[in-house]
Amino acid sequence: MEKEIKTIGVLTSGGDASGMNAAIRAVVRKAIYNGKKVKGIYRGYSGLLNEEIRDMTARDVSDTIARGGTILGTARCAEFRTEEGQKLGAEICKKHGIDGLVVIGGDGSFAGAQKLAALGINTIGVPGTIDLDIACTEYTIGFDTAINTAMEAIDKVRDTSTSHERCSIIEVMGRHAGYIALYCGIANGAEDILVPERYNYDEQELINNIIRNRKRGKKHHIIINAEGIGHSTSMARRIQAATGVETRATILGHMQRGGSPTCKDRVYASMMGAYAVDLLCAGKSNRVVGYRHGDFTDFDIDEALAMQKDLPEYMWEVARALSV
């Protein structure tokens, strides 16, 4: 028999992403709307183990939907990767009356949620990562804000690059996934896009492309480089030495994580947070919320973690075609 959930906890874990506050707000208000109590767990799994847990009301999430970051805070927690840490986390949830938990984060956060579900805490994952690297979903909280932030910054770099007739290597986030680089490469009209999934580390190909475009009269050359490839500064030195074209590296860094979330991130994060609450109220556990084919849906966490994801082949083909 499915147990009735009375108190729902919510935490954010791993890297922060704009839109997480919208998801937190939705969890709190939808749970209260459904007649449940809500407890906020601060600083992720680390805060859970340290019992940084507070009751939350609808007023606690007022005026948060437009804010970047996460009002609950986040932290890495090596202890929670151990069996002892996971058991302690489940015991602390039970001690505070938390019988349902919403975990907002990425794959690592879901692995923790999976362990808590096995220990009797009904747990739902909500995908929050700017990298869009969770295989079961076509949308993750924070990606839309990140690509818009990066796109606007790259537009500005392009302006000065054109004025000085430079080559610019602009490094965006994406350690294992090139979605930010790919989207910005298309949106910013980059001449080259370097992503972990496709790059062959042939710098001579880049050099030849720069020289060919310069002969055709192009006054700038934009290379979007994902951080998983990295080494943008040393790459810039080598390209300048080989081409004679002044080459600068710009690393956008953590600015891509922050800022007021876009409309899409606010709305989709709100929908996902509310959906997670509805799953808990229906007695579900060990699920992750996703977005596919225009609908919000959910998957078994075990299956979600086992899925593989690659860049859309046609999108990559279009990116290459438009860069000529």
Side-chain angles (χ1 to χ4, degrees), residues 184-218:
C184 287
I186 294 172
N188 293 105
E191 280 69 37
D192 285 293
I193 307 168
L194 312 182
V195 297
E197 298 93 330
R198 298 287 188 278
Y199 187 46
N200 60 7
Y201 292 88
D202 182 3
E203 279 189 14
Q204 189 59 49
E205 185 178 331
L206 296 177
I207 290 164
N208 293 343
N209 198 19
I210 292 165
I211 294 170
R212 183 167 54 250
N213 282 338
R214 189 52 58 105
K215 287 178 179 178
R216 291 168 52 210
K218 276 207 168 187

Side-chain angles (χ1 to χ4, degrees), residues 95-130:
K95 174 183 173 182
H96 287 265
I98 297 171
D99 38 21
L101 180 65
V102 177
V103 174
I104 305 167
D107 282 345
S109 305
F110 295 163
Q114 182 185 43
K115 301 299 183 184
L116 287 175
L119 291 167
I121 307 299
N122 282 23
T123 310
I124 306 295
V126 172
T129 168
I130 68 169

